[in-house]
Amino acid sequence: RRVHGGTYQKLHSSPAMLVSVFVALGLIFFGFFLLHILYKGPLPSYAAFLLLFANPFFVLLSLLHFVGILPKYKSQIFDMRGKVCIVTGSNTGIGKETALGLAVNGAHVILACRSVEKAQKAMQELNKQRTTFIFRNLFAKHGTFEVQELDLTSFDSVKRFSTRIIEKYSETGIDVLVCNAGMGAFGDQKMTKDKVVEVFQANYLGHFALVLLLLPLLRLKGKAKGVPSRVVTLSSSTHHFAAIDIAKNAFTPSRLSYANSKLAMLLLSREINRRESDVISIAVNPGSVNSDIWRDIPRPFVTVATTILRIFCLDNAAGSVASVEASCNPEFSIISKFSGYLVPYWLVLGMGFPFEFGGPLAGARWAQPRLPSNEPQVTKAMWRHSITAIAALSSIRFEPE
């Protein structure tokens, strides 16, 4: 056929069209990459999804993985027998898979969840999954579970939970605390009964209180074993778009509440490493995961979002890999305390940004996070203001520094 004096081409099937699309995506991606390099403050929030889908590396690898061309990553098996691990928010999603991963490595796992009923049901399912896994893997171990009630949006609940754990493990201590529980910031944001932004308290401030209350048990086990105990904090690639100001983050709802809470978790990990000798903390980006955190997506976007999540995002099991390795991998006991944070993706030349935003699972890899220019001062101030806020809002008191 002739059109406008030229030869009609089926551009939709032309390799040239595909190359053009990837070149365009690459140029957009390169522009945002320069923005990251040259601009030292938090990135504009709208850049997140543009950067993610303008990354041809991410798009290509995700599609190859979705159609089954790329090989699947096989999780490592470690020896966690005799170790006690706490995983918050472990009745569903990434937390549940993290609990399973620790149990098949031999650990005793405490499912710290808001709903005891849901946690009991999850424990029954986990026991079956663990047994099935052991039959399929000769190197797997027979870990165990228990359920404890913990609502991170209530400082009273955090205090009660910590009291029970301290009473039970006061002589032996605990080995690992995985600060996994979290919630998204879609729609109208609520305030908790403690008068804190719910997302920020669930994701960060409740965990901050929990970590400080359980630090004596972590120190006890680390000192007794001669190997540091671990605090694993779940951050996110969204920390690139956040800024820390506890007075605003905790008490003023914001569309960036989720991102701010994830930067706070990253900074919490760094400050623990500065202060502690018998405890190390590893921050983790679980990846872009098709988990329950998306459950509050506005209804008009559900269909589109579900399709995108299924094709381009990790499932919960893959999203737990970095957390499990951060908890179990013996190599991480002797790492530099400021090696960055763990991400589950392939990185180009060791660069985290922007490759930490997505792709197929490649195991836990170290990447450099985006930190405030005066990070040590910002983090110390965050720590101090967090203690002050919790003391003002609850009966929890911490030892003076």
Side-chain angles (χ1 to χ4, degrees):
R1 290 170 54 186
R2 308 281 295 182
V3 180
H4 299 302
T7 302
Y8 173 77
Q9 295 180 339
K10 295 182 178 179
L11 290 178
H12 66 276
S13 62
S14 169
M17 174 63 80
L18 185 60
V19 171
S20 298
V21 170
F22 272 89
V23 168
L25 289 174
L27 290 173
I28 298 172
F29 160 75
F30 184 69
F32 279 107
F33 182 71
L34 287 179
L35 176 66
H36 167 71
I37 298 297
L38 300 175
Y39 182 63
K40 297 303 181 183
L43 289 177
S45 58
Y46 65 81
F49 290 103
L50 288 176
L51 182 61
L52 185 61
F53 292 105
N55 182 349
F57 181 82
F58 160 75
V59 173
L60 178 61
L61 288 182
S62 296
L63 290 174
L64 291 175
H65 181 262
F66 181 72
V67 298
I69 294 176
L70 292 179
K72 291 187 177 181
Y73 175 81
K74 292 185 178 180
S75 298
Q76 300 182 60
I77 296 294
F78 305 97
D79 189 358
M80 294 289 284
R81 287 173 294 185
K83 295 188 177 183
V84 176
C85 304
I86 299 173
V87 184
T88 65
S90 44
N91 64 292
T92 187
I94 298 172
K96 184 179 178 183
E97 292 293 339
T98 300
L100 177 62
L102 294 172
V104 298
N105 283 293
H108 175 68
V109 185
I110 299 171
L111 309 179
C113 306
R114 177 161 49 184
S115 169
V116 172
E117 181 181 354
K118 290 181 180 178
Q120 293 283 3
K121 181 180 179 181
M123 184 170 67
Q124 294 176 1
E125 295 168 352
L126 285 167
N127 279 319
K128 293 178 181 178
Q129 290 174 290
R130 178 206 56 210
T131 302
T132 301
F133 189 93
I134 290 173
F135 277 125
R136 294 177 178 175
N137 194 313
L138 296 177
F139 298 100
K141 285 89 177 176
H142 196 284
T144 53
F145 303 98
E146 71 170 284
V147 170
Q148 291 284 351
E149 183 180 7
L150 171 63
D151 181 359
L152 287 157
T153 64
S154 165
F155 291 126
D156 287 342
S157 178
V158 171
K159 186 176 181 179
R160 288 194 300 270
F161 171 84
S162 301
T163 299
R164 292 194 302 272
I165 297 299
I166 291 169
E167 288 176 352
K168 186 170 183 178
Y169 296 98
S170 59
E171 295 184 3
T172 58
I174 58 176
D175 297 90
V176 179
L177 170 60
V178 183
C179 299
N180 167 85
M183 59 188 303
F186 301 102
D188 295 333
Q189 295 187 43
K190 302 175 183 177
M191 305 295 286
T192 68
K193 67 177 184 180
D194 295 320
K195 301 179 181 179
V196 178
V197 176
E198 186 178 33
V199 172
F200 198 77
Q201 184 169 351
N203 294 2
Y204 165 69
L205 207 54
H207 276 124
F208 177 87
L210 179 66
V211 168
L212 265 62
L213 289 169
L214 295 183
L215 265 178
L217 294 185
L218 290 158
R219 292 177 187 137
L220 176 64
K221 180 57 81 68
K223 186 170 292 187
K225 293 290 186 181
V227 178
S229 299
R230 303 188 186 189
V231 176
V232 178
T233 65
L234 262 71
S235 183
S236 163
S237 56
T238 62
H239 82 272
H240 287 278
F241 313 100
I244 283 297
D245 182 338
I246 292 297
K248 292 181 180 179
N249 300 154
F251 306 112
T252 306
S254 163
R255 58 189 174 83
L256 289 177
S257 290
Y258 178 82
N260 293 335
S261 72
K262 293 306 179 179
L263 176 57
M265 290 295 272
L266 180 57
L267 299 182
L268 169 60
S269 181
R270 294 180 71 84
E271 189 64 13
I272 291 171
N273 286 333
R274 287 193 185 96
R275 292 168 177 260
E276 299 297 324
S277 57
D278 297 309
V279 180
I280 62 170
S281 183
I282 301 174
V284 165
N285 167 14
S288 299
V289 183
N290 185 8
S291 70
D292 286 355
I293 205 160
W294 303 98
R295 59 183 171 267
D296 295 323
I297 289 178
R299 188 170 297 277
F301 304 103
V302 169
T303 302
V304 174
T306 300
T307 302
I308 292 174
L309 290 170
R310 188 169 61 89
I311 296 175
F312 292 106
C313 294
L314 305 176
D315 60 21
N316 287 312
S320 72
V321 166
S323 294
V324 173
E325 290 210 25
S327 303
C328 303
N329 195 325
E331 295 179 5
F332 298 161
S333 292
I334 55 175
I335 60 168
S336 164
K337 285 198 169 188
F338 297 98
S339 295
Y341 79 150
L342 289 176
V343 302
Y345 299 121
W346 279 311
L347 305 177
V348 175
L349 301 176
M351 295 187 299
F353 185 93
F355 305 105
E356 63 183 282
F357 279 79
L361 177 65
R365 307 197 174 200
W366 292 104
Q368 286 301 318
R370 186 180 188 85
L371 300 171
S373 57
N374 55 339
E375 181 270 320
Q377 292 75 26
V378 170
T379 303
K380 284 180 172 58
M382 181 194 79
W383 185 285
R384 186 171 60 254
H385 292 323
S386 297
I387 288 177
T388 301
I390 292 170
L393 298 169
S394 72
S395 60
I396 296 176
R397 298 292 180 271
F398 302 111
E399 295 181 4
E401 298 186 17

